Short mmCIF file of all heavy atoms in Angstrom, two decimals:
data_model
loop_
_atom_site.label_atom_id
_atom_site.label_comp_id
_atom_site.label_asym_id
_atom_site.label_seq_id
_atom_site.Cartn_x
_atom_site.Cartn_y
_atom_site.Cartn_z
N SER A 983 4.83 0.81 11.48
CA SER A 983 4.54 -0.54 10.95
C SER A 983 4.24 -0.57 9.47
O SER A 983 4.30 -1.62 8.83
CB SER A 983 3.35 -1.14 11.71
OG SER A 983 2.16 -0.42 11.41
N LEU A 984 3.88 0.60 8.88
CA LEU A 984 3.46 0.68 7.47
C LEU A 984 2.26 -0.23 7.20
O LEU A 984 2.16 -0.88 6.16
CB LEU A 984 4.62 0.33 6.52
CG LEU A 984 5.89 1.15 6.68
CD1 LEU A 984 6.95 0.73 5.66
CD2 LEU A 984 5.60 2.65 6.56
N LEU A 985 1.34 -0.23 8.14
CA LEU A 985 0.16 -1.09 8.06
C LEU A 985 -0.62 -0.89 6.77
O LEU A 985 -1.05 -1.85 6.12
CB LEU A 985 -0.75 -0.83 9.25
CG LEU A 985 -2.15 -1.46 9.20
CD1 LEU A 985 -2.06 -2.98 9.23
CD2 LEU A 985 -3.03 -0.94 10.32
N PHE A 986 -0.81 0.36 6.36
CA PHE A 986 -1.68 0.64 5.22
C PHE A 986 -1.07 0.10 3.92
O PHE A 986 -1.77 -0.51 3.11
CB PHE A 986 -1.96 2.14 5.13
CG PHE A 986 -2.72 2.68 6.30
CD1 PHE A 986 -2.06 3.13 7.44
CD2 PHE A 986 -4.11 2.72 6.29
CE1 PHE A 986 -2.76 3.61 8.53
CE2 PHE A 986 -4.82 3.20 7.37
CZ PHE A 986 -4.15 3.64 8.50
N GLY A 987 0.20 0.33 3.73
CA GLY A 987 0.85 -0.21 2.54
C GLY A 987 0.86 -1.73 2.54
O GLY A 987 0.66 -2.37 1.49
N LYS A 988 1.10 -2.32 3.69
CA LYS A 988 1.09 -3.78 3.78
C LYS A 988 -0.29 -4.34 3.48
O LYS A 988 -0.41 -5.39 2.84
CB LYS A 988 1.55 -4.21 5.18
CG LYS A 988 3.03 -3.96 5.44
CD LYS A 988 3.41 -4.33 6.87
CE LYS A 988 4.89 -4.09 7.13
NZ LYS A 988 5.28 -4.39 8.53
N MET A 989 -1.34 -3.65 3.92
CA MET A 989 -2.69 -4.10 3.62
C MET A 989 -2.98 -4.01 2.12
O MET A 989 -3.67 -4.87 1.56
CB MET A 989 -3.71 -3.26 4.40
CG MET A 989 -3.89 -3.68 5.84
SD MET A 989 -4.73 -5.29 5.98
CE MET A 989 -5.11 -5.31 7.74
N THR A 990 -2.45 -2.99 1.47
CA THR A 990 -2.63 -2.87 0.02
C THR A 990 -2.01 -4.06 -0.70
O THR A 990 -2.64 -4.69 -1.56
CB THR A 990 -2.00 -1.56 -0.48
OG1 THR A 990 -2.61 -0.45 0.19
CG2 THR A 990 -2.21 -1.40 -1.98
N VAL A 991 -0.77 -4.38 -0.34
CA VAL A 991 -0.09 -5.51 -0.98
C VAL A 991 -0.78 -6.82 -0.64
O VAL A 991 -0.99 -7.68 -1.52
CB VAL A 991 1.39 -5.56 -0.54
CG1 VAL A 991 2.08 -6.81 -1.11
CG2 VAL A 991 2.13 -4.30 -1.00
N LEU A 992 -1.17 -7.00 0.62
CA LEU A 992 -1.82 -8.24 1.03
C LEU A 992 -3.09 -8.48 0.23
O LEU A 992 -3.34 -9.58 -0.27
CB LEU A 992 -2.13 -8.21 2.52
CG LEU A 992 -2.93 -9.39 3.07
CD1 LEU A 992 -2.19 -10.70 2.86
CD2 LEU A 992 -3.27 -9.19 4.55
N HIS A 993 -3.92 -7.46 0.08
CA HIS A 993 -5.18 -7.64 -0.65
C HIS A 993 -4.93 -7.90 -2.14
O HIS A 993 -5.65 -8.68 -2.76
CB HIS A 993 -6.10 -6.43 -0.45
CG HIS A 993 -6.81 -6.46 0.87
ND1 HIS A 993 -6.18 -6.14 2.06
CD2 HIS A 993 -8.08 -6.82 1.20
CE1 HIS A 993 -7.04 -6.28 3.06
NE2 HIS A 993 -8.19 -6.68 2.55
N TYR A 994 -3.93 -7.27 -2.68
CA TYR A 994 -3.59 -7.52 -4.08
C TYR A 994 -3.18 -8.98 -4.27
O TYR A 994 -3.66 -9.66 -5.18
CB TYR A 994 -2.46 -6.59 -4.51
CG TYR A 994 -2.07 -6.71 -5.96
CD1 TYR A 994 -2.87 -6.21 -6.97
CD2 TYR A 994 -0.86 -7.33 -6.32
CE1 TYR A 994 -2.50 -6.31 -8.30
CE2 TYR A 994 -0.49 -7.44 -7.64
CZ TYR A 994 -1.30 -6.93 -8.63
OH TYR A 994 -0.94 -7.05 -9.95
N ARG A 995 -2.29 -9.47 -3.42
CA ARG A 995 -1.84 -10.87 -3.52
C ARG A 995 -2.97 -11.84 -3.19
O ARG A 995 -3.11 -12.90 -3.81
CB ARG A 995 -0.67 -11.11 -2.57
CG ARG A 995 0.56 -10.26 -2.86
CD ARG A 995 1.17 -10.57 -4.20
NE ARG A 995 2.44 -9.86 -4.40
CZ ARG A 995 2.90 -9.49 -5.57
NH1 ARG A 995 2.19 -9.71 -6.67
NH2 ARG A 995 4.05 -8.86 -5.68
N MET A 996 -3.78 -11.48 -2.23
CA MET A 996 -4.87 -12.35 -1.77
C MET A 996 -5.87 -12.62 -2.89
O MET A 996 -6.45 -13.71 -2.97
CB MET A 996 -5.57 -11.66 -0.59
CG MET A 996 -6.47 -12.52 0.26
SD MET A 996 -6.85 -11.64 1.80
CE MET A 996 -7.99 -10.39 1.21
N PHE A 997 -6.04 -11.64 -3.77
CA PHE A 997 -6.96 -11.80 -4.90
C PHE A 997 -6.21 -12.07 -6.21
O PHE A 997 -6.65 -11.68 -7.29
CB PHE A 997 -7.88 -10.59 -5.00
CG PHE A 997 -8.83 -10.46 -3.85
CD1 PHE A 997 -8.71 -9.42 -2.93
CD2 PHE A 997 -9.82 -11.41 -3.63
CE1 PHE A 997 -9.58 -9.32 -1.85
CE2 PHE A 997 -10.70 -11.31 -2.55
CZ PHE A 997 -10.57 -10.27 -1.66
N ALA A 998 -5.06 -12.73 -6.07
CA ALA A 998 -4.31 -13.31 -7.19
C ALA A 998 -3.58 -12.28 -8.05
O ALA A 998 -3.22 -12.57 -9.19
CB ALA A 998 -5.22 -14.17 -8.07
N GLY A 999 -3.34 -11.09 -7.53
CA GLY A 999 -2.53 -10.13 -8.26
C GLY A 999 -1.06 -10.53 -8.22
O GLY A 999 -0.55 -10.96 -7.18
N GLU A 1000 -0.37 -10.37 -9.35
CA GLU A 1000 1.01 -10.85 -9.45
C GLU A 1000 2.01 -9.77 -9.86
O GLU A 1000 3.22 -9.99 -9.80
CB GLU A 1000 1.09 -12.00 -10.46
CG GLU A 1000 0.28 -13.22 -10.05
CD GLU A 1000 0.36 -14.34 -11.06
OE1 GLU A 1000 0.91 -14.11 -12.17
OE2 GLU A 1000 -0.10 -15.46 -10.75
N ASP A 1001 1.57 -8.61 -10.26
CA ASP A 1001 2.45 -7.57 -10.79
C ASP A 1001 3.30 -6.98 -9.65
O ASP A 1001 2.78 -6.59 -8.61
CB ASP A 1001 1.62 -6.47 -11.44
CG ASP A 1001 2.44 -5.59 -12.36
OD1 ASP A 1001 3.56 -5.22 -11.97
OD2 ASP A 1001 1.96 -5.26 -13.47
N GLU A 1002 4.62 -6.89 -9.88
CA GLU A 1002 5.52 -6.34 -8.87
C GLU A 1002 5.31 -4.85 -8.65
O GLU A 1002 5.75 -4.30 -7.64
CB GLU A 1002 6.98 -6.59 -9.29
CG GLU A 1002 7.41 -8.04 -9.19
CD GLU A 1002 7.42 -8.54 -7.74
OE1 GLU A 1002 8.20 -8.02 -6.94
OE2 GLU A 1002 6.61 -9.43 -7.43
N ARG A 1003 4.60 -4.20 -9.59
CA ARG A 1003 4.38 -2.76 -9.43
C ARG A 1003 3.38 -2.43 -8.34
O ARG A 1003 3.14 -1.25 -8.04
CB ARG A 1003 3.95 -2.18 -10.78
CG ARG A 1003 5.10 -2.09 -11.78
CD ARG A 1003 4.66 -1.71 -13.17
NE ARG A 1003 3.90 -2.78 -13.82
CZ ARG A 1003 3.65 -2.82 -15.12
NH1 ARG A 1003 4.08 -1.85 -15.91
NH2 ARG A 1003 2.95 -3.82 -15.64
N ILE A 1004 2.83 -3.45 -7.69
CA ILE A 1004 1.94 -3.20 -6.56
C ILE A 1004 2.66 -2.47 -5.45
O ILE A 1004 2.06 -1.71 -4.68
CB ILE A 1004 1.33 -4.53 -6.03
CG1 ILE A 1004 0.27 -4.24 -4.97
CG2 ILE A 1004 2.42 -5.46 -5.48
CD1 ILE A 1004 -0.88 -3.37 -5.43
N TYR A 1005 3.98 -2.64 -5.35
CA TYR A 1005 4.72 -1.95 -4.30
C TYR A 1005 4.69 -0.44 -4.50
O TYR A 1005 4.70 0.32 -3.53
CB TYR A 1005 6.17 -2.46 -4.25
CG TYR A 1005 6.26 -3.93 -3.94
CD1 TYR A 1005 6.62 -4.86 -4.92
CD2 TYR A 1005 5.95 -4.41 -2.66
CE1 TYR A 1005 6.68 -6.21 -4.64
CE2 TYR A 1005 6.01 -5.76 -2.37
CZ TYR A 1005 6.37 -6.66 -3.37
OH TYR A 1005 6.42 -8.00 -3.07
N ARG A 1006 4.64 -0.02 -5.76
CA ARG A 1006 4.53 1.41 -6.02
C ARG A 1006 3.15 1.93 -5.60
O ARG A 1006 3.03 3.02 -5.03
CB ARG A 1006 4.76 1.69 -7.50
CG ARG A 1006 4.79 3.17 -7.86
CD ARG A 1006 5.30 3.38 -9.26
NE ARG A 1006 6.68 2.89 -9.38
CZ ARG A 1006 7.34 2.83 -10.53
NH1 ARG A 1006 6.76 3.21 -11.65
NH2 ARG A 1006 8.58 2.40 -10.55
N ALA A 1007 2.11 1.15 -5.85
CA ALA A 1007 0.77 1.55 -5.41
C ALA A 1007 0.69 1.60 -3.89
O ALA A 1007 0.06 2.49 -3.31
CB ALA A 1007 -0.27 0.58 -5.98
N ALA A 1008 1.31 0.62 -3.24
CA ALA A 1008 1.31 0.60 -1.78
C ALA A 1008 2.10 1.79 -1.23
O ALA A 1008 1.73 2.37 -0.19
CB ALA A 1008 1.91 -0.71 -1.28
N ALA A 1009 3.18 2.17 -1.91
CA ALA A 1009 3.93 3.36 -1.51
C ALA A 1009 3.05 4.60 -1.63
O ALA A 1009 3.11 5.51 -0.78
CB ALA A 1009 5.18 3.51 -2.37
N ALA A 1010 2.21 4.65 -2.67
CA ALA A 1010 1.28 5.77 -2.82
C ALA A 1010 0.34 5.86 -1.63
O ALA A 1010 0.08 6.94 -1.09
CB ALA A 1010 0.48 5.61 -4.11
N VAL A 1011 -0.16 4.72 -1.20
CA VAL A 1011 -1.07 4.70 -0.05
C VAL A 1011 -0.35 5.21 1.20
O VAL A 1011 -0.90 6.01 1.97
CB VAL A 1011 -1.61 3.28 0.17
CG1 VAL A 1011 -2.35 3.17 1.51
CG2 VAL A 1011 -2.55 2.89 -0.98
N GLU A 1012 0.87 4.76 1.44
CA GLU A 1012 1.60 5.20 2.62
C GLU A 1012 1.94 6.69 2.56
O GLU A 1012 1.94 7.37 3.59
CB GLU A 1012 2.87 4.38 2.81
CG GLU A 1012 2.62 3.00 3.43
CD GLU A 1012 2.13 3.07 4.88
OE1 GLU A 1012 2.20 4.15 5.49
OE2 GLU A 1012 1.69 2.02 5.39
N LEU A 1013 2.24 7.20 1.37
CA LEU A 1013 2.49 8.64 1.26
C LEU A 1013 1.22 9.44 1.54
O LEU A 1013 1.28 10.52 2.14
CB LEU A 1013 3.02 8.98 -0.14
CG LEU A 1013 4.47 8.60 -0.41
CD1 LEU A 1013 4.84 8.89 -1.86
CD2 LEU A 1013 5.43 9.32 0.54
N MET A 1014 0.08 8.92 1.11
CA MET A 1014 -1.19 9.57 1.44
C MET A 1014 -1.36 9.63 2.95
O MET A 1014 -1.71 10.68 3.52
CB MET A 1014 -2.36 8.79 0.83
CG MET A 1014 -3.73 9.26 1.31
SD MET A 1014 -5.05 8.03 1.05
CE MET A 1014 -4.61 6.77 2.26
N VAL A 1015 -1.13 8.51 3.63
CA VAL A 1015 -1.31 8.45 5.08
C VAL A 1015 -0.33 9.39 5.78
O VAL A 1015 -0.69 10.13 6.70
CB VAL A 1015 -1.13 7.01 5.59
CG1 VAL A 1015 -1.15 6.97 7.12
CG2 VAL A 1015 -2.24 6.12 5.03
N LEU A 1016 0.93 9.40 5.32
CA LEU A 1016 1.92 10.31 5.91
C LEU A 1016 1.50 11.76 5.74
O LEU A 1016 1.58 12.55 6.68
CB LEU A 1016 3.29 10.07 5.26
CG LEU A 1016 4.41 11.04 5.66
CD1 LEU A 1016 4.61 11.07 7.17
CD2 LEU A 1016 5.70 10.69 4.93
N SER A 1017 1.02 12.11 4.57
CA SER A 1017 0.62 13.51 4.34
C SER A 1017 -0.51 13.91 5.27
O SER A 1017 -0.49 15.02 5.84
CB SER A 1017 0.21 13.70 2.88
OG SER A 1017 -1.01 13.05 2.59
N LEU A 1018 -1.48 13.03 5.46
CA LEU A 1018 -2.60 13.36 6.34
C LEU A 1018 -2.17 13.39 7.81
O LEU A 1018 -2.69 14.20 8.59
CB LEU A 1018 -3.74 12.36 6.13
CG LEU A 1018 -4.40 12.42 4.74
CD1 LEU A 1018 -5.51 11.38 4.63
CD2 LEU A 1018 -4.94 13.81 4.43
N ASP A 1019 -1.24 12.51 8.19
CA ASP A 1019 -0.70 12.57 9.55
C ASP A 1019 -0.03 13.92 9.81
O ASP A 1019 -0.19 14.52 10.88
CB ASP A 1019 0.32 11.46 9.77
CG ASP A 1019 -0.31 10.10 9.98
OD1 ASP A 1019 -1.54 10.03 10.22
OD2 ASP A 1019 0.42 9.08 9.91
N MET A 1020 0.73 14.39 8.83
CA MET A 1020 1.42 15.67 8.98
C MET A 1020 0.42 16.82 9.11
O MET A 1020 0.57 17.70 9.96
CB MET A 1020 2.35 15.89 7.79
CG MET A 1020 3.53 14.91 7.76
SD MET A 1020 4.40 14.86 6.16
CE MET A 1020 5.09 16.52 6.09
N ILE A 1021 -0.61 16.79 8.27
CA ILE A 1021 -1.64 17.85 8.34
C ILE A 1021 -2.37 17.78 9.68
O ILE A 1021 -2.62 18.81 10.32
CB ILE A 1021 -2.61 17.72 7.16
CG1 ILE A 1021 -1.89 18.03 5.85
CG2 ILE A 1021 -3.81 18.65 7.34
CD1 ILE A 1021 -2.68 17.70 4.61
N ASP A 1022 -2.71 16.57 10.11
CA ASP A 1022 -3.39 16.41 11.41
C ASP A 1022 -2.56 17.00 12.54
O ASP A 1022 -3.08 17.67 13.44
CB ASP A 1022 -3.67 14.93 11.69
CG ASP A 1022 -4.83 14.39 10.89
OD1 ASP A 1022 -5.45 15.16 10.13
OD2 ASP A 1022 -5.12 13.19 11.00
#
């Protein structure tokens, strides 16, 4: 579902963030989650 990345974007937009580069930050969050899933 990519819940974590979607939550990052949602909170950014919810608090009036407008920069399209938020998708890169959300990708960072999902890569973090993927890495920890793999280690787990």
